[in-house]
Amino acid sequence: MHPVLHQHPTYTHDATACEECDLLVPATTLAVGETSSCPRCGHTLSRHLPQQERRPLAYGFAALIMFALSNVFTFMSFSSHGVGQEMTFLQCITTLVEQGYLFLGAVLSLTLIGLPLVYVGSIMLVLWRIDKEMHSRALRSLGRLLCRIRPWLMVDVFLIGVLISLVKLMGMADIKMGLSFWAFVGYTVLLIKMMSSLDRMWLWQRLFGPTESRELDPEAGAMASELVGCHICGALSEAGTDRCPRCGDHLHARKPGGLNRTWALLITSVILYIPANLYPIMDTVFLGDDSPSTILGGVVLLWALGSYPIAAVIFFASVVIPLVKILALLWLCYVVQRGQGASPLRKLKLYRMTEFVGRWSMIDVFVVAILAGLIRLDNLMTIYPGPAAVAFAGVVLITMVAAMSFDSRLIWDLQQGERERE
C-alpha cells in the first residue's frame, strides 16, 4: 500500500542535490505556498502547493473537454474577394501531411496533440490511483514520462502563432475566429494551470514515501560527498548506484557523453541554420504569381506594412533567439572545456535563459502551418510551406536537445577545482 499523506499545513521534502549546481540541500519543511530553493544558485527545488491531489485532476478533466471542443467546430475562417475558406484545428496538421511535409506534421502532432494528451492522461491516472493499488513499475514509468515530456508541450507557443497569423492576414482578408479557437484558448490556459499546480518532488514523495535521512554537509557538492542526485525525483543515492531506488531512472554523477554530445548537436544546428535562413520558409501563390518568402523577407514585409510589434516578435523569435542560443551554448561549452570557472552564477543564468527561450522559436513554424492550412483558395491564393520550414524546425528541436544535454553542474565543478588548487 502507498503511504497516506493527505494535505497538511506543512510538508517536508527530502534531502536532495540541486540539479543545476550539485549542492547538497538538507530536508526542508515548507508551509502551504512556500518554496524551497538552492541557497547557492537559486534553483527551485520544491513547492508546497495547495490541493495538489485535486487541482490537477480538475484542470486535467476540464482541459480534455476543451481539447475535444477545439476539434469539433471551425477554428478560423478566411474570406477574400467573395471567396472563403474554413479551417479546423486538425487541418493545420493534415494539410502539411497532404503536401508531403511529414516531418512538420509529425512535430505538430506530437507537440500539440500527442504529448499534451499523454501528459494530462498520465497525471490524472497517477493522482486518481494515488491511494489505490497500482503496479509500482507502472507508476514509476508514468512518473518518469511526465518529467521527460513536459518541456516538449508547445500549445502556448502555437496559440501565439495563431495570433501572429491573425495579424498577418487582417490587412488582406476578413478573418474570423471560430468556437474551436476559443476552446483551444481554454485548453491552453487549463494545461498551463495543470502543469503549475503539481510539484514533481512532492509527487514522488507522495507515491513512494520519503527517502532515507542522511547527515549532509550543506556546503558540499553531491559528487564530492560520494552521492548522486536523481534528476527525475530528487532522491539521493550512493555514488556508483546504477538506478534510483525510488523512481528507477538511470543515475549519473554527470550527464553521459560530456560536452561531446552538446558540441555535435550544436554543430548540426549551425549547419541547418544556414538553409533555414537562405531558403523560403513560405511560398505564396496569388493569381498564378509565385512569391517565395524567407524568414527575414517576412519580417521586412511586416515592417513595411506597419505591423511593427509582430515584425519584432518574428525577428527576435526566429532570427535572434536561435542564433543567440547557439552562440551562448557554444560559448558555455568552450569556457567549460577550457576550464574557465569564474562567475559561475552568471554562466548559469545564461544557460537558464537559453533553456527558457528555445521553444519559442517554433512560432514561425506554427505560423506557416496555420497559413498553409487556412489559405487554400486554388483559383485565388494558396500558401505552401517552404523547405526552410523543415530546416528551421530542425534547428529549434536540436538546440533544445543540445541545451538539455549540457550539464550545468560542470560550471560549478570548475569553481570547485580552482578552490582546491588554491
Side-chain angles (χ1 to χ4, degrees), residues 30-43:
L30 304 174
V32 176
E34 288 186 339
T35 299
S36 172
S37 302
C38 174
R40 180 160 69 178
C41 72
H43 174 64

mmCIF file with all atom_site columns, all heavy atoms in Angstrom, residues 30-43:
data_model
loop_
_atom_site.group_PDB
_atom_site.id
_atom_site.type_symbol
_atom_site.label_atom_id
_atom_site.label_alt_id
_atom_site.label_comp_id
_atom_site.label_asym_id
_atom_site.label_entity_id
_atom_site.label_seq_id
_atom_site.pdbx_PDB_ins_code
_atom_site.Cartn_x
_atom_site.Cartn_y
_atom_site.Cartn_z
_atom_site.occupancy
_atom_site.B_iso_or_equiv
_atom_site.pdbx_formal_charge
_atom_site.auth_seq_id
_atom_site.auth_comp_id
_atom_site.auth_asym_id
_atom_site.auth_atom_id
_atom_site.pdbx_PDB_model_num
ATOM 1  N N   . LEU A 1 30 ? 8.164  22.968 4.579   1.00 0.00 ? 30 LEU A N   1
ATOM 2  C CA  . LEU A 1 30 ? 7.503  24.078 3.897   1.00 0.00 ? 30 LEU A CA  1
ATOM 3  C C   . LEU A 1 30 ? 6.045  24.175 4.328   1.00 0.00 ? 30 LEU A C   1
ATOM 4  O O   . LEU A 1 30 ? 5.363  23.152 4.449   1.00 0.00 ? 30 LEU A O   1
ATOM 5  C CB  . LEU A 1 30 ? 7.554  23.886 2.378   1.00 0.00 ? 30 LEU A CB  1
ATOM 6  C CG  . LEU A 1 30 ? 8.931  23.706 1.728   1.00 0.00 ? 30 LEU A CG  1
ATOM 7  C CD1 . LEU A 1 30 ? 8.773  23.374 0.252   1.00 0.00 ? 30 LEU A CD1 1
ATOM 8  C CD2 . LEU A 1 30 ? 9.764  24.962 1.901   1.00 0.00 ? 30 LEU A CD2 1
ATOM 9  N N   . ALA A 1 31 ? 5.578  25.384 4.535   1.00 0.00 ? 31 ALA A N   1
ATOM 10 C CA  . ALA A 1 31 ? 4.152  25.618 4.733   1.00 0.00 ? 31 ALA A CA  1
ATOM 11 C C   . ALA A 1 31 ? 3.482  25.750 3.368   1.00 0.00 ? 31 ALA A C   1
ATOM 12 O O   . ALA A 1 31 ? 4.163  25.906 2.339   1.00 0.00 ? 31 ALA A O   1
ATOM 13 C CB  . ALA A 1 31 ? 3.931  26.882 5.567   1.00 0.00 ? 31 ALA A CB  1
ATOM 14 N N   . VAL A 1 32 ? 2.161  25.676 3.341   1.00 0.00 ? 32 VAL A N   1
ATOM 15 C CA  . VAL A 1 32 ? 1.438  25.792 2.083   1.00 0.00 ? 32 VAL A CA  1
ATOM 16 C C   . VAL A 1 32 ? 1.758  27.139 1.432   1.00 0.00 ? 32 VAL A C   1
ATOM 17 O O   . VAL A 1 32 ? 1.671  28.193 2.063   1.00 0.00 ? 32 VAL A O   1
ATOM 18 C CB  . VAL A 1 32 ? -0.081 25.662 2.314   1.00 0.00 ? 32 VAL A CB  1
ATOM 19 C CG1 . VAL A 1 32 ? -0.837 25.886 1.006   1.00 0.00 ? 32 VAL A CG1 1
ATOM 20 C CG2 . VAL A 1 32 ? -0.416 24.303 2.878   1.00 0.00 ? 32 VAL A CG2 1
ATOM 21 N N   . GLY A 1 33 ? 2.161  27.083 0.166   1.00 0.00 ? 33 GLY A N   1
ATOM 22 C CA  . GLY A 1 33 ? 2.510  28.296 -0.563  1.00 0.00 ? 33 GLY A CA  1
ATOM 23 C C   . GLY A 1 33 ? 3.985  28.633 -0.535  1.00 0.00 ? 33 GLY A C   1
ATOM 24 O O   . GLY A 1 33 ? 4.419  29.513 -1.270  1.00 0.00 ? 33 GLY A O   1
ATOM 25 N N   . GLU A 1 34 ? 4.780  27.934 0.287   1.00 0.00 ? 34 GLU A N   1
ATOM 26 C CA  . GLU A 1 34 ? 6.217  28.222 0.367   1.00 0.00 ? 34 GLU A CA  1
ATOM 27 C C   . GLU A 1 34 ? 6.998  27.411 -0.665  1.00 0.00 ? 34 GLU A C   1
ATOM 28 O O   . GLU A 1 34 ? 6.557  26.355 -1.120  1.00 0.00 ? 34 GLU A O   1
ATOM 29 C CB  . GLU A 1 34 ? 6.742  27.915 1.776   1.00 0.00 ? 34 GLU A CB  1
ATOM 30 C CG  . GLU A 1 34 ? 6.286  28.907 2.826   1.00 0.00 ? 34 GLU A CG  1
ATOM 31 C CD  . GLU A 1 34 ? 6.942  28.672 4.177   1.00 0.00 ? 34 GLU A CD  1
ATOM 32 O OE1 . GLU A 1 34 ? 7.422  27.540 4.430   1.00 0.00 ? 34 GLU A OE1 1
ATOM 33 O OE2 . GLU A 1 34 ? 6.982  29.628 4.975   1.00 0.00 ? 34 GLU A OE2 1
ATOM 34 N N   . THR A 1 35 ? 8.172  27.916 -0.984  1.00 0.00 ? 35 THR A N   1
ATOM 35 C CA  . THR A 1 35 ? 9.039  27.305 -1.991  1.00 0.00 ? 35 THR A CA  1
ATOM 36 C C   . THR A 1 35 ? 10.427 27.091 -1.415  1.00 0.00 ? 35 THR A C   1
ATOM 37 O O   . THR A 1 35 ? 10.936 27.941 -0.680  1.00 0.00 ? 35 THR A O   1
ATOM 38 C CB  . THR A 1 35 ? 9.134  28.203 -3.236  1.00 0.00 ? 35 THR A CB  1
ATOM 39 O OG1 . THR A 1 35 ? 7.841  28.365 -3.816  1.00 0.00 ? 35 THR A OG1 1
ATOM 40 C CG2 . THR A 1 35 ? 10.058 27.596 -4.284  1.00 0.00 ? 35 THR A CG2 1
ATOM 41 N N   . SER A 1 36 ? 11.029 25.956 -1.742  1.00 0.00 ? 36 SER A N   1
ATOM 42 C CA  . SER A 1 36 ? 12.401 25.672 -1.341  1.00 0.00 ? 36 SER A CA  1
ATOM 43 C C   . SER A 1 36 ? 13.323 25.875 -2.535  1.00 0.00 ? 36 SER A C   1
ATOM 44 O O   . SER A 1 36 ? 13.061 25.355 -3.624  1.00 0.00 ? 36 SER A O   1
ATOM 45 C CB  . SER A 1 36 ? 12.517 24.226 -0.831  1.00 0.00 ? 36 SER A CB  1
ATOM 46 O OG  . SER A 1 36 ? 13.871 23.880 -0.611  1.00 0.00 ? 36 SER A OG  1
ATOM 47 N N   . SER A 1 37 ? 14.391 26.654 -2.327  1.00 0.00 ? 37 SER A N   1
ATOM 48 C CA  . SER A 1 37 ? 15.323 26.944 -3.410  1.00 0.00 ? 37 SER A CA  1
ATOM 49 C C   . SER A 1 37 ? 16.748 26.613 -2.986  1.00 0.00 ? 37 SER A C   1
ATOM 50 O O   . SER A 1 37 ? 17.070 26.601 -1.795  1.00 0.00 ? 37 SER A O   1
ATOM 51 C CB  . SER A 1 37 ? 15.245 28.420 -3.821  1.00 0.00 ? 37 SER A CB  1
ATOM 52 O OG  . SER A 1 37 ? 13.944 28.766 -4.229  1.00 0.00 ? 37 SER A OG  1
ATOM 53 N N   . CYS A 1 38 ? 17.594 26.375 -3.981  1.00 0.00 ? 38 CYS A N   1
ATOM 54 C CA  . CYS A 1 38 ? 19.002 26.119 -3.709  1.00 0.00 ? 38 CYS A CA  1
ATOM 55 C C   . CYS A 1 38 ? 19.652 27.393 -3.175  1.00 0.00 ? 38 CYS A C   1
ATOM 56 O O   . CYS A 1 38 ? 19.533 28.451 -3.800  1.00 0.00 ? 38 CYS A O   1
ATOM 57 C CB  . CYS A 1 38 ? 19.701 25.656 -4.980  1.00 0.00 ? 38 CYS A CB  1
ATOM 58 S SG  . CYS A 1 38 ? 21.488 25.479 -4.819  1.00 0.00 ? 38 CYS A SG  1
ATOM 59 N N   . PRO A 1 39 ? 20.343 27.325 -2.026  1.00 0.00 ? 39 PRO A N   1
ATOM 60 C CA  . PRO A 1 39 ? 20.950 28.548 -1.475  1.00 0.00 ? 39 PRO A CA  1
ATOM 61 C C   . PRO A 1 39 ? 22.121 29.073 -2.299  1.00 0.00 ? 39 PRO A C   1
ATOM 62 O O   . PRO A 1 39 ? 22.516 30.226 -2.141  1.00 0.00 ? 39 PRO A O   1
ATOM 63 C CB  . PRO A 1 39 ? 21.410 28.105 -0.076  1.00 0.00 ? 39 PRO A CB  1
ATOM 64 C CG  . PRO A 1 39 ? 21.550 26.625 -0.161  1.00 0.00 ? 39 PRO A CG  1
ATOM 65 C CD  . PRO A 1 39 ? 20.535 26.158 -1.145  1.00 0.00 ? 39 PRO A CD  1
ATOM 66 N N   . ARG A 1 40 ? 22.689 28.244 -3.176  1.00 0.00 ? 40 ARG A N   1
ATOM 67 C CA  . ARG A 1 40 ? 23.843 28.686 -3.963  1.00 0.00 ? 40 ARG A CA  1
ATOM 68 C C   . ARG A 1 40 ? 23.440 29.287 -5.310  1.00 0.00 ? 40 ARG A C   1
ATOM 69 O O   . ARG A 1 40 ? 23.924 30.359 -5.682  1.00 0.00 ? 40 ARG A O   1
ATOM 70 C CB  . ARG A 1 40 ? 24.818 27.523 -4.183  1.00 0.00 ? 40 ARG A CB  1
ATOM 71 C CG  . ARG A 1 40 ? 26.042 27.927 -5.000  1.00 0.00 ? 40 ARG A CG  1
ATOM 72 C CD  . ARG A 1 40 ? 27.198 26.974 -4.830  1.00 0.00 ? 40 ARG A CD  1
ATOM 73 N NE  . ARG A 1 40 ? 26.959 25.659 -5.427  1.00 0.00 ? 40 ARG A NE  1
ATOM 74 C CZ  . ARG A 1 40 ? 27.859 24.682 -5.434  1.00 0.00 ? 40 ARG A CZ  1
ATOM 75 N NH1 . ARG A 1 40 ? 29.041 24.876 -4.855  1.00 0.00 ? 40 ARG A NH1 1
ATOM 76 N NH2 . ARG A 1 40 ? 27.580 23.518 -5.986  1.00 0.00 ? 40 ARG A NH2 1
ATOM 77 N N   . CYS A 1 41 ? 22.555 28.626 -6.036  1.00 0.00 ? 41 CYS A N   1
ATOM 78 C CA  . CYS A 1 41 ? 22.227 29.107 -7.382  1.00 0.00 ? 41 CYS A CA  1
ATOM 79 C C   . CYS A 1 41 ? 20.791 29.596 -7.518  1.00 0.00 ? 41 CYS A C   1
ATOM 80 O O   . CYS A 1 41 ? 20.433 30.170 -8.549  1.00 0.00 ? 41 CYS A O   1
ATOM 81 C CB  . CYS A 1 41 ? 22.500 28.010 -8.419  1.00 0.00 ? 41 CYS A CB  1
ATOM 82 S SG  . CYS A 1 41 ? 21.318 26.636 -8.373  1.00 0.00 ? 41 CYS A SG  1
ATOM 83 N N   . GLY A 1 42 ? 19.953 29.371 -6.504  1.00 0.00 ? 42 GLY A N   1
ATOM 84 C CA  . GLY A 1 42 ? 18.586 29.863 -6.542  1.00 0.00 ? 42 GLY A CA  1
ATOM 85 C C   . GLY A 1 42 ? 17.606 28.980 -7.292  1.00 0.00 ? 42 GLY A C   1
ATOM 86 O O   . GLY A 1 42 ? 16.437 29.346 -7.460  1.00 0.00 ? 42 GLY A O   1
ATOM 87 N N   . HIS A 1 43 ? 18.036 27.813 -7.751  1.00 0.00 ? 43 HIS A N   1
ATOM 88 C CA  . HIS A 1 43 ? 17.141 26.917 -8.482  1.00 0.00 ? 43 HIS A CA  1
ATOM 89 C C   . HIS A 1 43 ? 16.022 26.424 -7.575  1.00 0.00 ? 43 HIS A C   1
ATOM 90 O O   . HIS A 1 43 ? 16.261 26.036 -6.423  1.00 0.00 ? 43 HIS A O   1
ATOM 91 C CB  . HIS A 1 43 ? 17.941 25.722 -9.019  1.00 0.00 ? 43 HIS A CB  1
ATOM 92 C CG  . HIS A 1 43 ? 17.101 24.669 -9.664  1.00 0.00 ? 43 HIS A CG  1
ATOM 93 N ND1 . HIS A 1 43 ? 16.374 24.902 -10.803 1.00 0.00 ? 43 HIS A ND1 1
ATOM 94 C CD2 . HIS A 1 43 ? 16.868 23.369 -9.318  1.00 0.00 ? 43 HIS A CD2 1
ATOM 95 C CE1 . HIS A 1 43 ? 15.739 23.792 -11.142 1.00 0.00 ? 43 HIS A CE1 1
ATOM 96 N NE2 . HIS A 1 43 ? 16.015 22.862 -10.266 1.00 0.00 ? 43 HIS A NE2 1
#
